[in-house]
Amino acid sequence: MIRKATAEDAPQIFALVAETIDACYPGHYSGNIVQTFHKFHSLDSIMSDIKSEKCYLAEEGPLLLGTVTADGVHVRRLFVAPFAQGQGVGSALLREAERAIFSSHRCVTVDASLPAETFYEKMGYAVVRECSEEVCGERIAWKVYQKSAGERCGL
């Protein structure tokens, strides 16, 4: 089941995001960059998205399986618990975020971390820009992906 997150869900979402970062990012990023991802996805930022009614979660009974934020034209913070990956949870969450975004925009944009690139490509997203920035004295790379609602969109 996918539903909008509530303030009561924030600690559990925060824990899921942290667990997923720790499980999936170390093979792609240094320890300093992994810690930067943890800071970026803080409890405060999750709570802000929930209060703005932008945050969704997938659950099965009492288990939190994943989360996503639909913010303007952007998909943000799409995380699936390590035990639930590869079972369609991420796809379902992404479709929910797309539904919300396409209701008022013609394009969906996502800044994809390295572990997520293949997922977005399989979901029909195209690379529109490759980015790189120095963070904590190290270079971090990512790709910006877009998907349109049937017409060409620019970044």
Side-chain angles (χ1 to χ4, degrees), residues 5 8-9 13 15 32 39 49-50 58 62 83 86 109 114 120 123 126-127 133 140 142:
E8 293 77 30
D9 298 314
I13 292 170
N32 286 340
K39 291 176 188 170
D49 288 344
I50 290 171
F83 74 86
T109 301
L114 295 176
Y120 287 108
M123 295 298 292
V127 175
E133 184 177 304
I140 182 172
W142 71 95

Side-chain angles (χ1 to χ4, degrees), residues 36-144:
T36 300
F37 277 107
H38 278 291
K39 291 176 188 170
F40 182 75
H41 296 293
S42 68
L43 184 58
D44 287 342
S45 66
I46 291 168
M47 186 59 81
S48 176
D49 288 344
I50 290 171
K51 287 180 181 176
S52 298
E53 298 188 356
K54 300 174 187 175
C55 184
Y56 299 85
L57 56 82
E59 59 189 358
E60 187 173 296
L63 290 176
L64 177 60
L65 304 177
T67 186
V68 69
T69 296
D71 184 11
V73 299
H74 300 279
V75 170
R76 301 197 194 285
R77 199 178 296 111
L78 174 55
F79 286 95
V80 175
F83 74 86
Q85 292 179 6
Q87 299 175 29
V89 175
S91 300
L93 283 164
L94 182 58
R95 284 191 299 274
E96 183 66 23
E98 289 173 347
R99 183 198 59 71
I101 293 168
F102 283 142
S103 71
S104 55
H105 301 281
R106 61 187 181 110
C107 295
V108 175
T109 301
V110 62
D111 291 4
S113 62
L114 295 176
E117 290 178 351
T118 302
F119 169 75
Y120 287 108
E121 290 167 5
K122 286 181 181 177
M123 295 298 292
Y125 284 74
V127 175
V128 293
R129 190 170 64 224
E130 293 189 24
C131 304
S132 155
E133 184 177 304
E134 189 170 310
V135 176
C136 302
E138 298 178 42
R139 241 340 148 225
I140 182 172
W142 71 95
K143 294 178 183 171
V144 178

